[in-house]
């Protein structure tokens, strides 16, 4: 822990946070963001660091907890602002219309209201009690009560709570409270930046950053990790283990297309497993209680009552965390069905009908924790052996098909068999002593070999929307193309790769304004690095799968800028939209480093 004592004891004025929000809004670099966060955390008492972090992330708790969101409609919020500022709803509405920002409308009305009050008090010389400052705990507590008010009469309760909170808030505080409630705070601070600042303030320096990151990878709750760090010190984080019920950030694979190279890369011998085309699931079990988390760590338990049943019945350990892929299958033939089929099931309203129409199987590929033992630190063969021991395998709940090999030809044959059986390709996994489960990391211990690599086109990539261009002709008055970026995890920024306008169906184009609306911002996002100027800038959030003819060098794009040649970055020629990837967040996009590797392989192929 840092030696300095926080400026406040146990709680802190909310104003300190509101002022930080205001500064973050006008800065343009990640370094500046870190400095602001360091200053904020230095003032923050350790007892409330978790709440401060959630508020910075624009939420009340991690998404995976499955707790309700605020659930306040615009109408209720307008009413609350009107009540708190003694204005009429139509006054709030018209100001909102002219400013285009309900937060700023609230701020203005609060200012006016305060002026009126001041005048009144001067004219009647009455005594106005000095209002006490709102604190972080108070704001957090009221907002949590707003979220947790459910069922009959909850709309009134939410309204009263919010009107009360806004009455006590200063104009600036009201602006940010309103934006928070609307889900429009969007400060764009990445987890990586928060961890940098935490390491400096509580860890004793940047050298403790990896310890914080490891803890976060094992317990995907930055507020919770920060609280342990701030209250118990960095040593307490060193001993952290997975905990049933708290998701672990998934281990991810690199990609290659030459079996020889793959085997070399993982150290000669490997497990080669089917890469199933479904949804990744991290299944937690504690007695009869089951949780299922998606690749993005959303709690998807309620979507899979059938998988919950399988897990209860077929995981024999009392406590366990296992990972697998949920895949749709045809009940008549037993054959596996593609990812789209599973998505169709997710869209159905009545889950009990859906599970009959589109049944699923689970193929397990890893074990992260079992009965008090942390398996993430053990090599894959040991994890697999224990997984086989604690699972009762059945037709619908089984261990992923795999072989152990050091022979590239055998690998290639197994790959073809996998494709024939409806898988997407294979995963090549290292099995040496150091082949641990690297939570939250995309590394070379796992390599994916997908079917698309065999086709004429290059691999597909997943890119993030960071801007949009207005269309022409048939697309006049709509968006016609998107500016897409790759993620650079070292710098925690998004670097542009291409402008994509092909591949969209008419209905995709029609839906774009609505999809982009919540993310449109009036200037470039601080975590976006771009040379091209789109018509509108967009907060990095939406991920799409893109394919193209080849990778090229371009002076217009910033992905791996100056890495291959000065002044140019990597781009995609003839990019085409394939589909949205709602199962991926912006940091899950293809990385700049991956594109660089792809570019180098392409060069090698051309010269060879
Ligand atoms: P993709 O878009 O190719 O699914 P990704 O970014 O989601 O990739 P990667 O780690 O690159 O994740 O690829 C592995 C993905 O493949 C996992 O996230 C998982 O959903 C899926 N998968 C299917 N079978 C396996 C397996 N046997 N082992 C690991 N992952 C598997």
């Amino acid at each position: 822990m840092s030696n300095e004592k926080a400026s406040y004891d146990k709680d802190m004025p909310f104003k300190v946070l509101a002022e930080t929000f205001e500064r973050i809004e006008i800065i343009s670099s990640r370094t500046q963001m870190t400095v602001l966060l360091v200053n904020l955390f230095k003032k923050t008492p350790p007892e409330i660091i978790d709440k401060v972090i959630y508020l910075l992330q624009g939420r009340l708790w991690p998404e995976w907890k499955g707790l309700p969101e605020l659930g306040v409609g615009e109408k209720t919020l307008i009413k609350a602002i009107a009540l708190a500022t003694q204005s009429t709803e139509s006054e709030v509405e018209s100001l909102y219309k002219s400013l285009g920002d309900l937060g700023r409308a609230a701020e203005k009305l609060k200012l006016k209201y305060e002026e009126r009050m001041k005048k009144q008090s001067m004219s009647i010389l009455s005594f106005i009690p000095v209002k006490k400052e709102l604190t972080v705990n108070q704001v957090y507590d009221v907002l949590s009560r707003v979220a947790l008010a459910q069922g009959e009469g909850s709309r009134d309760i939410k309204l009263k709570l919010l009107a009360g909170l806004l009455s006590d808030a200063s104009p600036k505080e009201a602006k940010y409270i309103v934006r928070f409630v609307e889900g429009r705070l969007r400060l764009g601070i990445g987890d990586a930046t928060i961890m940098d600042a935490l390491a400096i303030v509580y860890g004793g320096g940047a050298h403790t950053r990896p310890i914080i990151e490891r803890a976060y990878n094992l317990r995907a709750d930055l507020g919770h990790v920060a609280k342990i760090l701030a209250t118990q010190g960095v040593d307490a984080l060193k001993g952290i283990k997975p905990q049933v019920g708290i998701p672990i950030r998934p281990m991810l694979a690199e990609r290659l297309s030459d079996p020889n190279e793959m085997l070399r890369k993982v150290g000669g011998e490997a497990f080669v497993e089917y890469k199933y085309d479904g949804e990744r699931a991290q299944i937690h079990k504690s007695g009869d209680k089951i949780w299922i988390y998606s690749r993005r760590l959303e709690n998807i338990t309620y979507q899979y009552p059938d998988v919950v049943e399988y897990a209860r019945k077929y995981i024999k350990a009392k406590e366990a965390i296992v990972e697998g892929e949920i895949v749709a299958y045809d009940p008549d033939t037993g054959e596996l069905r593609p990812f789209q089929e599973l998505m169709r099931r997710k869209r159905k309203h009545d889950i009990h009908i859906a599970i009959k129409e589109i049944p699923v199987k689970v193929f397990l590929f890893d074990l992260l924790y079992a009965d008090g033992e942390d398996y993430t630190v053990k090599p894959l063969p040991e994890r697999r052996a224990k997984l086989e021991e604690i699972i009762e395998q059945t037709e619908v709940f089984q261990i992923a098909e795999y072989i152990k090999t050091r022979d590239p030809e055998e690998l290639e044959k197994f790959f073809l068999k996998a494709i024939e059986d409806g898988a997407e390709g294979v995963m090549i996994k290292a099995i040496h002593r150091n082949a641990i489960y690297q939570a939250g990391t995309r590394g070379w211990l796992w390599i994916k070999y997908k079917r698309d690599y065999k086709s004429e086109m290059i691999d597909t990539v997943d890119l993030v929307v960071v801007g949009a261009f207005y269309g022409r002709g048939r697309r006049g008055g709509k968006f016609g193309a998107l500016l897409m970026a790759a993620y650079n995890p070292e710098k925690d920024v998004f670097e542009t790769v291409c402008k994509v306008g092909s591949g969209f169906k008419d209905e995709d184009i029609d839906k774009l304004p609505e999809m982009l609306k919540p993310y449109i911002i009036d200037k470039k996002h601080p975590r976006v690095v771009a040379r091209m100027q789109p018509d509108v800038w967009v907060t990095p959030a939406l991920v799409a799968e893109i394919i193209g003819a080849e990778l090229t060098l371009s002076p217009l794009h910033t992905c791996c800028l100056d890495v291959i040649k000065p002044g140019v970055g990597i781009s995609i020629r003839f990019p085409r939209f394939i589909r949205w990837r709602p199962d991926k967040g912006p940091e899950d996009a293809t990385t700049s480093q991956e594109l660089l590797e792809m570019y180098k392989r392409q060069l090698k192929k051309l010269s060879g």
Side-chain angles (χ1 to χ4, degrees), residues 33 41 56 62-63 73 83 90 152 163 169 221 247 250 252 260 280 310 320 348-349 413 460 467-468 543 568:
M33 248 185 208
F41 293 165
L56 281 168
E63 206 175 325
L83 281 171
S90 57
E152 214 182 309
D221 179 345
L252 298 168
N260 280 299
R280 186 171 188 155
Y310 305 159
K348 297 213 173 218
H349 292 299
K413 258 198 221 141
T460 66
V543 177
V568 292

Side-chain angles (χ1 to χ4, degrees), residues 242-511:
Q243 186 174 315
V244 175
I246 303 185
I248 296 172
R249 301 180 72 214
M251 173 166 178
L252 298 168
E254 287 286 352
R255 58 172 94 202
L256 279 177
S257 51
D258 171 14
N260 280 299
E261 205 181 338
M262 291 174 199
L263 288 169
R264 213 176 319 121
K265 205 84 186 177
V266 295
E269 197 169 33
F271 280 176
V272 180
E273 303 172 5
Y274 277 19
K275 182 181 192 307
Y276 296 93
D277 191 12
E279 174 162 31
R280 186 171 188 155
Q282 195 177 94
I283 306 174
H284 292 228
K285 175 182 185 237
S286 174
D288 255 359
K289 175 110 180 90
I290 307 290
W291 300 256
I292 307 175
Y293 296 111
S294 72
R295 184 190 181 292
R296 297 185 67 181
L297 308 184
E298 294 135 331
N299 187 330
I300 49 169
T301 316
Y302 68 96
Q303 294 175 11
Y304 293 106
D306 38 1
V307 177
V308 169
E309 265 323 295
Y310 305 159
R312 261 193 208 125
K313 271 208 229 148
Y314 306 129
I315 300 179
K316 292 181 288 182
K318 230 172 127 214
E319 276 205 326
I321 304 176
V322 299
E323 253 191 340
E325 190 88 352
I326 300 180
V327 192
Y329 74 97
D330 180 342
D332 297 328
T333 62
E335 275 172 11
L336 301 182
R337 309 283 305 134
F339 175 73
Q340 285 77 358
E341 195 75 358
L342 195 67
M343 291 298 121
R344 209 159 69 79
R345 159 165 155 157
K346 282 170 92 94
R347 281 196 298 271
K348 297 213 173 218
H349 292 299
D350 189 334
I351 181 70
H352 294 283
I353 298 177
I355 63 178
K356 287 216 179 78
E357 276 178 19
I358 308 173
V360 296
K361 295 185 182 185
V362 183
F363 294 95
L364 299 161
F365 53 76
D366 226 314
L367 170 77
L368 314 186
Y369 177 84
D371 292 332
E373 194 81 40
D374 177 3
Y375 275 85
T376 63
V377 291
K378 300 185 192 282
L380 178 60
E382 212 176 307
R383 305 204 298 275
R384 182 60 50 88
K386 183 73 183 176
L387 181 66
E388 285 175 9
E389 191 188 308
I390 66 160
I391 299 297
E392 182 184 333
Q393 293 203 57
T394 70
E395 189 53 32
V396 290
F397 201 72
Q398 52 179 290
I399 300 209
E401 194 87 29
Y402 76 104
I403 54 168
K404 182 170 155 187
T405 188
R406 49 170 68 249
D407 174 6
E409 268 170 37
E410 198 183 3
L411 189 161
E412 187 70 31
K413 258 198 221 141
F414 192 69
F415 170 78
L416 295 173
K417 181 168 167 281
I419 302 276
E420 219 173 282
D421 283 347
E424 225 189 337
V426 289
M427 299 288 293
I428 291 82
K429 296 185 177 175
I431 52 174
H432 50 71
R433 246 178 340 120
N434 300 322
I436 59 162
Y437 186 92
Q438 291 177 320
T441 309
R442 193 182 284 286
W444 289 103
L445 292 179
W446 286 10
I447 298 171
K448 60 182 167 189
Y449 181 20
K450 288 212 280 190
R451 184 178 36 192
D452 337 318
Y453 305 159
K454 292 257 118 186
S455 71
E456 286 299 298
M457 286 188 282
I458 58 152
D459 325 349
T460 66
V461 288
D462 299 317
L463 300 176
V464 188
V465 183
V466 296
F469 300 84
Y470 297 125
R472 284 194 226 145
R474 222 157 57 87
R475 294 188 184 167
K478 301 176 186 168
F479 290 119
L482 301 174
L483 182 59
M484 308 297 298
Y487 178 51
N488 178 335
E490 279 82 45
K491 299 190 181 145
D492 191 28
V493 294
F494 298 92
E495 301 173 337
T496 73
V497 176
C498 62
K499 172 178 168 183
V500 61
S502 330
F504 295 101
K505 292 197 214 78
D506 285 348
E507 63 250 41
D508 295 325
I509 292 291
D510 290 343
K511 279 191 205 139

